[in-house]
């Protein structure tokens, strides 16, 4: 049985794009995930580049899907700290 929180993540439609131009940013967010994402389904995160119109954090979830989030929201900041801590602890 798939957990309810995982279904929530899978059901969310996110709006981000990958630029086709070598001169533009790699990926930009145009809308944000509004509900917290369970840390156990996140495999990576990255920030959008400066040329993007909106700042964003792009979380990669286990299925490989990318989810945009607002870097100014507290739950996003907390997730980044947890993920960075887990990565640091697993590398030591």
């Amino acid at each position: 049985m798939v957990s309810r929180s995982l279904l929530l993540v899978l059901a969310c439609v996110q709006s981000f794009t990958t630029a086709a131009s070598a001169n533009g940013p790699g990926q930009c967010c145009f809308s944000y995930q509004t509900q917290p994402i369970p840390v156990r389904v996140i495999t990576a995160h990255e920030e959008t580049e400066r040329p993007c119109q909106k700042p964003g954090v792009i979380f990669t979830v286990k299925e490989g899907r990318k989810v945009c989030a607002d870097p100014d929201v507290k739950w996003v900041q907390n997730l980044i700290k947890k993920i960075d801590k887990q990565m640091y602890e697993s590398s030591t």
Side-chain angles (χ1 to χ4, degrees):
M1 181 175 167
V2 179
S3 71
R4 183 176 176 204
S5 57
L6 181 59
L7 288 175
L8 175 66
V9 170
L10 294 175
C12 295
V13 177
Q14 296 305 308
S15 178
F16 78 96
T17 187
T18 301
S21 168
N23 298 329
Q27 295 181 347
C28 294
C29 294
F30 295 99
S31 66
Y32 298 129
Q33 166 73 21
T34 57
Q35 299 295 317
I37 304 166
V39 70
R40 69 182 177 278
V41 301
I42 298 172
T43 59
H45 71 85
E46 61 183 304
E47 292 186 25
T48 57
E49 297 173 17
R50 288 189 182 264
C52 294
Q53 291 180 352
K54 293 172 81 170
V57 174
I58 302 173
F59 291 109
T60 304
V61 297
K62 288 183 179 178
E63 298 80 24
R65 183 172 317 167
K66 297 188 183 277
V67 179
C68 286
D70 185 344
D72 296 327
V73 176
K74 192 68 175 169
W75 68 262
V76 175
Q77 296 168 1
N78 289 340
L79 273 177
I80 292 169
K81 287 178 188 174
K82 286 180 186 178
I83 294 165
D84 288 347
K85 182 179 178 186
Q86 287 175 352
M87 291 176 141
Y88 175 77
E89 290 174 351
S90 68
S91 68
T92 55

